[in-house]
């Protein structure tokens, strides 16, 4: 009966089609290998070229704007050499240049943006052609080259004897969405820096390009601030071992940059700030009970001038520490009961003419914070709650839609108001589900809402969220991968070519084994095996 | 503070009615004042945990059981055939267009109050424990485990000696340092020695643990020496674990233990973990790490579901073709005889029995690849279809094979029991086969294929009886009325609470011993603190006499392998299986969820510190986070 109801829904037509295909697929085909996420245009032949680690070389094209000495690419070559030839060890012998049977991968870029940070308008487009003895990889920017190197590394395979091959291939590729993020929550559980770095590695394998660092929240404040060191001293789980020092943060940012990943920090306020209050007195609103302070605290106190002074210098620091042009200001789930209980807050509202309308107070607060960050030349992202209560929406720029239910209705509404959207609702990966429900994250259609072309263009991307209530370094990787990769393909690839779960399945299975080979603890999708199983506990 | 559940329920409804775009939480957001920093307190139990209970809620917590399998449906969801995985995909696809999934919200999950337990980090809780306020110091330089005079297991008992080394490492975090000076006088409140005394004439040091092993022990911690007394080495091993759990670090980082008296024994004799190495191959390293963790939780049975439809990784000396053809890979994905030996010895050194399961007549697809004519050829009309069903029960060659095979199994695995499976036999292939039809007529079975199944099982039981092993079988064999030896162990895995309780009552009233697994299928996961429902299930909660209750010898936590391999096995199993461990070890009235939460949080941090990636129960931190990535 449930099935009937579902089938009657219009939305399900593609699924029925998919079902048919699925039956056909299982009837006859074997697993096909390929690239994940799927490139926009890929043609390949059965023509096979051997690759020999002894004679393989990366090189810069003659007309390339970047040349040797671009440390970002030089480091990428070293990384990808080991990813392309996973069995290679130095003992195998010295590299010989230009011997017989040599193969060169020529890189060429239009711009020399080697020293820059990736940004919201960075081009990631690349062309890759693989033919006898050589391949050429062309892109406007180094970011495109990084994506192309990843693709090339996935095209190389080994036969049963361990020899490496690549087939004749031509690829034109570019991302469907500019913003493809992964959120990690380092407040509910502290994630050691190497867990973050390893996540950045895995992200680059799936062509994610934004690390959304939900760095602080109610439970703990691990960010060690230069201007306000008390915040982490009092607010972290432990002031010495469970913090991110400035050099940790720099390391994360630079590691991400090397992989073409932006680091988007989130300092969520006025709610979700329990841990801030420990190291910054008078920042949070004292809650009242029966005319007297109850000893507990609520959201940030929006009625005090000192709050805005603090926020101005705090965000001045944050915007100088994090180079990305975006900053996430949070703004979600603000509880009004504490504000309501506080007589000073109520008096302030009278003065401002807000009456009893607390959303107005919240809007007032957020607007002040947005102004602070735009004074520092940053674009603000806020959770959808802010859009929902904000009357003057022109002050906003990017809204992240996270609530479940009809999230596309919300996307439509936000784009109609002329604001940009990042979609997170369908990609809450901390929610239950073993890896076999990866299809839930794949069969998401971010633009399937009625609206103009202009509205569609305002959807700048999407994000996978791994909230930390039940997640720490012990279980992060198998929870995140390869399920996040399903979302990655939705955000990178052409929707028409990737609408079928059953076509994607063998490619994803193969990709998952590649992740294992690269040391990423990606969970299994179904029964089966990888040639090289995960070799740790 | 206890706002979570209601909101969760609201959210779950909200997901399903799809009345989108409202606030998830109308106003239950906890702000300050609820975060108890246990770890910073002066309590002697502060050694490991601090839990922030401030819940963030951008992670909407629906407790919808999106992909839970029906407990009644299948023992381990044999996604063996492509067709089944197809239907799984289909279900997923349908789910994705409308939230039609059922929503089981029958569990009351409480939000525990975070504070140190007066029992510190002890897990599972001993039967009797008295902890005094008197702190004693331990120093890695002076502390020793010694064999008491008169102990029946001395320095020649390598099982104990290697346990001493293990626990020394766990307590002091590294190999024994050079003794500072033999003459250094220990302080008045310094504990320098744990004397271990094995009291029964046969220490069982060189034996294997069994279902009748005495696992009791008594521990007395006092200056100048602590004493651990146990009738056998098996009790001593548990006592060493308890001793190590009593040690904590004071505010200056000094190893400390309070003067304590413990008298302890298990409530149930059979406390097991099932791992499935057929759906995914589990590298030896993973098996060993989990045996190690089992010992930390006082589990004593490793139920090795070693082969199944998907693959046959057991390398048989008698029939090497079985793994040559039936494993995922004949060299890299097999357990050689020396691997198996290593697992058994590693387990023995930790007081753990290894019970292998060779499941027949169903769940045997992988057997057929290396053993001709073992499986039933299925027919489509009058001709063989090319596919195969369960073991062919009508051929004499089948029984010849089984005799030789189980002879080998009984030699390789020393335990007194072998698990014979016997679950989920699909009759359609038998029905299609004309030879089987004829055989049924000849035997007078009519159309009753469960009689044919019984015929097979009975012959198999006779074979195994000749190897002098006891046997465990899944409940279907009992349900189908197969004649069983009186000492057969019947393993209950099906049904919801009411159903499994009825089954337990039925089995025990027929006079059989039984094991429970139904509520402990840990491969099923859901959002939130599902350890609580695991913890609440009690194997003796069913209608029956005292005599019947005594026939319940324990239970097993099962981690079936469809979606589990080396990448996610350990965090999925621990600390959720620890909840089962306490239920099976501690007294029946140990049911305080709050106290359990606090001890378990500390216990999980201890496992993390010992290198085991045990996942968190909730927002919190461990002093030493997991470093193994």
């Amino acid at each position: 009966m449930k099935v009937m109801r579902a089938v009657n829904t219009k939305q399900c037509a593609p699924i029925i089609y998919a079902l048919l295909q699925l039956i056909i697929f299982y009837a006859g085909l074997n697993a096909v290998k390929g690239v994940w996420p799927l490139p926009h245009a890929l043609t390949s032949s059965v023509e096979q070229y051997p690759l020999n680690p002894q004679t393989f070389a990366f090189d810069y094209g003659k007309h390339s704007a970047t040349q040797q000495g671009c440390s970002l690419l030089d480091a990428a070559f070293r990384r990808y050499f080991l990813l392309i030839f996973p069995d290679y060890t130095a003992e195998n012998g010295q590299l010989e240049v230009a011997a017989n049977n040599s193969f060169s991968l020529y890189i060429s870029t239009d711009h020399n943006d080697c020293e820059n940070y990736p940004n919201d308008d960075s081009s990631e487009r690349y062309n890759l052609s693989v033919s006898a003895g050589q391949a050429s990889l062309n892109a406007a920017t180094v970011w495109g080259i990084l994506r192309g190197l990843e693709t090339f590394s996935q095209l190389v395979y080994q036969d049963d004897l361990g020899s490496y091959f690549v087939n004749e291939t031509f690829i034109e590729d570019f991302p469907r969405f500019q913003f493809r993020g992964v959120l990690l929550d380092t407040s509910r559980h502290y994630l050691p820096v190497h867990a973050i770095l390893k996540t950045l590695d895995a992200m680059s394998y799936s062509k994610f390009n934004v690390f959304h660092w939900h760095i602080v929240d109610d439970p703990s404040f691990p960010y060690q601030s230069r201007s306000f060191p008390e915040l982490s001293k009092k607010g972290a789980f432990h002031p010495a071992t469970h913090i991110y020092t400035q050099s940790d943060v720099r390391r994360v940012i630079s590691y991400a940059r090397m992989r073409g990943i932006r680091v988007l920090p989130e300092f969520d306020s006025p709610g979700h700030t329990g841990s801030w209050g420990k190291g910054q007195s008078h920042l949070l609103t004292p809650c009242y009970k029966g005319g007297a302070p109850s000893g507990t605290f609520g959201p940030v106190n929006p009625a005090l001038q000192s709050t805005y002074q603090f926020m101005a210098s705090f965000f001045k620091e944050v915007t100088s520490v994090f180079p990305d042009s975006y900053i996430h200001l949070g703004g979600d789930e603000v509880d009004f009961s504490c504000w309501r209980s506080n007589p000073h807050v109520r008096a302030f509202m009278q003065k401002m003419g807000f009456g009893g309308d607390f959303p107005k107070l919240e809007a007032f607060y957020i607007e002040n914070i947005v102004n602070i960050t735009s004074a520092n030349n940053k674009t603000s992202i806020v959770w959808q709650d802010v859009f929902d209560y904000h009357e003057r929406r022109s002050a906003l720029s990017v809204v992240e839609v996270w609530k479940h239910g009809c999230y596309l209705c919300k996307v439509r509404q936000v784009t109609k108001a002329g604001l940009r959207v990042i979609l997170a609702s369908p990609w809450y990966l901390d929610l239950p589900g073993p890896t076999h429900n990866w299809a839930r994250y794949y069969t998401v259609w971010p633009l399937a809402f009625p609206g103009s072309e202009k509205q569609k263009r305002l959807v700048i991307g999407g994000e996978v969220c791994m909230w930390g209530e039940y997640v720490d370094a012990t279980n992060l990787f198998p929870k995140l991968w390869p399920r996040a990769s399903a979302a990655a393909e939705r955000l990178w690839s052409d929707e028409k070519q990737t609408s079928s779960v059953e076509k994607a399945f063998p490619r994803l299975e193969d990709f998952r084994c590649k992740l294992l080979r690269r040391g990423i603890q990606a969970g299994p999708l179904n029964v089966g095996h990888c040639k090289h199983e995960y070799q740790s506990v | 503070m206890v706002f979570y559940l209601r909101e969760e329920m609201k959210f779950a409804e909200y997901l399903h009615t799809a009345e989108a775009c409202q606030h998830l939480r109308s106003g239950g957001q906890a702000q300050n004042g609820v975060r108890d920093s246990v770890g910073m307190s002066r309590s002697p139990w502060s050694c490991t945990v601090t839990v922030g209970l401030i819940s963030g809620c951008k992670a909407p917590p629906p407790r919808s059981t999106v992909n839970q399998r029906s407990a009644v449906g299948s023992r381990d969801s044999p996604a063996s055939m492509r067709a089944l995985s197809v239907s799984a995909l289909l279900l997923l696809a349908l789910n994705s267009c409308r939230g039609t999934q059922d929503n089981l919200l029958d569990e009351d999950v409480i939000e525990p109050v975070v504070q140190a337990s007066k029992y510190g980090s002890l897990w599972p809780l001993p039967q009797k424990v008295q902890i005094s306020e008197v702190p004693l110091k331990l120093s890695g330089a002076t502390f020793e485990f010694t064999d008491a005079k008169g102990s029946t297991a001395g320095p020649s008992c390598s099982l104990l000696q290697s346990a001493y080394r293990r626990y020394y490492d766990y307590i002091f975090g590294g190999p024994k340092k050079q003794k500072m000076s033999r003459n250094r006088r220990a302080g008045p409140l310094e504990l320098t020695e744990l004397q271990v005394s094995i009291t029964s004439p046969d220490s069982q040091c060189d034996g294997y643990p069994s279902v009748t092993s005495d696992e009791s022990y008594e521990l007395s911690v006092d200056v100048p020496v602590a004493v651990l007394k146990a009738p056998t080495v098996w009790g001593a091993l548990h006592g060493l674990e308890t001793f190590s759990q009593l040690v904590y670090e004071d505010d200056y980082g000094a190893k400390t233990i309070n003067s304590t008296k413990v008298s302890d024994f298990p409530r149930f004799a059979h406390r097991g973990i099932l791992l499935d190495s057929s759906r995914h191959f589990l590298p030896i390293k993973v098996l060993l790490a989990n045996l190690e963790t089992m010992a930390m939780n006082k589990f004593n049975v490793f139920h090795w579901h070693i082969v199944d439809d998907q693959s046959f990784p057991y390398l048989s000396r008698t029939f090497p073709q079985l793994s040559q053809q039936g494993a995922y890979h004949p060299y890299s994905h097999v357990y050689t005889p020396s691997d198996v030996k290593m697992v058994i010895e590693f387990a023995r050194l930790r007081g753990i029995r290894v019970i292998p399961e060779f499941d027949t007549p169903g769940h045997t697809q992988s057997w057929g690849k290396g053993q001709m004519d073992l499986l039933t050829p299925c027919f489509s009309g009058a001709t063989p279809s090319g596919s195969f069903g369960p073991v062919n029960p009508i051929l004499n060659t089948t029984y010849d094979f089984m005799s030789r095979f189980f002879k080998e199994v009984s030699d390789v695995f020393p335990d007194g029991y072998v698990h014979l499976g016997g679950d989920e036999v699909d009759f359609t292939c038998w029905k299609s086969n004309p030879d089987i039809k004829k055989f049924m007529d000849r035997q007078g079975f009519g159309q009753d294929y469960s009689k044919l199944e019984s015929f097979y099982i009975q012959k198999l039981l006779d074979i195994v009886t000749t190897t002098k092993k006891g046997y465990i079988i899944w409940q279907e064999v009992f349900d189908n009325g197969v004649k069983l030896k009186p000492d057969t162990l019947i393993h209950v895995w099906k049904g919801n609470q009411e159903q499994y309780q009825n089954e337990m009552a039925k089995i025990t009233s027929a006079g059989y011993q039984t094991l429970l697994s139904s509520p402990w299928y840990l491969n099923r996961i859901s959002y939130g603190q599902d350890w609580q429902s695991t913890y609440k299930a009690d194997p003796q909660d069913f209608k029956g006499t005292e005599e019947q209750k005594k026939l319940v010898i324990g239970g097993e936590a099962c981690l079936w392998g469809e979606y589990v391999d080396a990448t996610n096995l350990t965090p999925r199993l621990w600390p959720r299986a620890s909840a089962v461990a306490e239920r099976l070890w501690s007294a029946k009235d140990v049911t305080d969820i709050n106290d359990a939460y606090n001890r378990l949080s500390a216990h999980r941090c201890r496992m993390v510190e010992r290198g085991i990636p045990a996942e968190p129960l909730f927002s919190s931190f461990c002093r030493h986070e997991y470093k193994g990535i």
Side-chain angles (χ1 to χ4, degrees), chain A residues 2 12 22 188-189 218-219 242 278 297 332-333 406 428 431 436 467 469 472 475 512 521 526 528 533, chain B residues 20 29 31-32 35 54 56-60 86 97 102 280 333 563 565 567 604 615 618 620 622 625:
Chain A
K2 279 170 186 165
C12 289
L22 178 140
R188 286 168 179 107
H189 285 99
D218 285 322
H242 286 60
K278 304 195 172 173
F297 295 88
D332 58 316
E333 299 183 313
C406 182
Y428 267 41
L431 292 191
H436 64 289
W467 296 103
E469 279 86 347
D472 71 3
N475 58 359
R512 183 248 164 183
Q521 216 176 328
N526 205 333
E533 300 287 358
Chain B
Q29 189 187 10
Q31 285 286 343
N32 283 347
R35 173 162 161 222
I54 298 171
C57 49
K58 248 188 309 328
V86 167
C97 43
D102 285 324
H280 286 98
H333 287 60
Y563 306 105
D565 72 2
T567 62
R604 107 90 187 170
E615 68 177 17
F618 193 57
S620 63
C622 297
E625 300 288 356

Side-chain angles (χ1 to χ4, degrees), chain A residues 2-3 5-7 9 11-12 15 19 22-23 26 188-190 192 194-195 198 214 217-220 234-239 241-242 266 268 270-275 277-278 284 296-299 332-335 337 383-385 388 402-407 409-410 428 430-440 443 467-475 477-479 501-502 505 509 512 516 520-537, chain B residues 4 8 11 14-15 18-33 35 37 40 50-52 54-62 64 66-67 69 79-80 82-83 85-102 111 278-281 283 285-286 289-290 310 328-329 332-333 523 525-529 561-568 570-572 604 608 611-629:
Chain A
K2 279 170 186 165
V3 172
R5 204 187 320 143
V7 167
T9 319
Q11 285 176 329
C12 289
I15 284 153
L19 235 177
L22 178 140
I23 289 157
Y26 278 102
R188 286 168 179 107
H189 285 99
Y190 176 81
H194 60 278
K198 196 165 170 184
H214 188 84
D217 204 300
D218 285 322
S220 78
K234 300 273 171 60
F237 284 134
H238 188 284
T241 57
H242 286 60
E266 176 180 355
D268 192 352
H272 288 281
T273 45
S275 67
K278 304 195 172 173
L284 303 186
T296 64
F297 295 88
D332 58 316
E333 299 183 313
V334 183
D335 175 18
S337 56
W383 294 107
Q384 75 177 83
D385 316 45
D388 293 342
W402 67 274
K403 292 187 183 182
H404 292 228
C406 182
Y407 53 81
C409 306
K410 183 55 64 180
Y428 267 41
D430 57 316
L431 292 191
T435 39
H436 64 289
N437 67 0
W438 67 276
R440 279 208 302 181
T443 50
W467 296 103
E469 279 86 347
Y470 304 101
V471 179
D472 71 3
T474 62
N475 58 359
F477 288 92
K479 276 184 189 268
V501 165
E502 53 288 352
F505 181 63
E509 261 194 326
R512 183 248 164 183
L516 285 195
I520 303 297
Q521 216 176 328
L525 294 158
N526 205 333
V527 294
H529 78 292
C530 295
K531 201 169 153 195
H532 300 273
E533 300 287 358
Y534 185 68
Q535 283 304 329
S536 194
V537 179
Chain B
Y4 220 85
E8 278 179 17
F11 187 81
Y14 165 92
L15 254 190
E19 282 176 6
C21 314
Q22 291 166 11
H23 274 267
L24 164 62
R25 291 234 170 115
S26 43
Q29 189 187 10
Q31 285 286 343
N32 283 347
R35 173 162 161 222
S37 292
M40 302 296 150
T50 288
V51 181
I54 298 171
S55 136
C57 49
K58 248 188 309 328
S64 62
V66 180
N67 282 293
R69 301 175 195 147
S80 55
R82 281 297 200 188
S85 64
V86 167
S87 64
L89 283 173
L90 163 60
L91 280 174
L92 291 167
L94 292 174
N95 268 347
S96 70
C97 43
R98 275 260 170 268
T100 50
Q101 63 269 48
D102 285 324
E111 194 67 24
S278 172
R279 269 94 185 194
H280 286 98
F281 179 78
K285 220 169 150 182
V286 174
N290 281 281
Q310 286 77 6
Y328 282 129
H329 188 282
S332 62
H333 287 60
N523 46 298
I525 54 178
S526 56
Y527 190 77
Q529 300 199 31
E562 281 86 349
Y563 306 105
V564 175
D565 72 2
T567 62
N568 57 357
T570 312
R572 189 159 295 183
R604 107 90 187 170
V608 168
I612 303 301
E615 68 177 17
L617 296 172
F618 193 57
S619 301
S620 63
F621 81 105
C622 297
R623 267 196 9 183
H624 302 279
E625 300 288 356
Y626 184 63
K627 293 201 176 60
I629 26 170

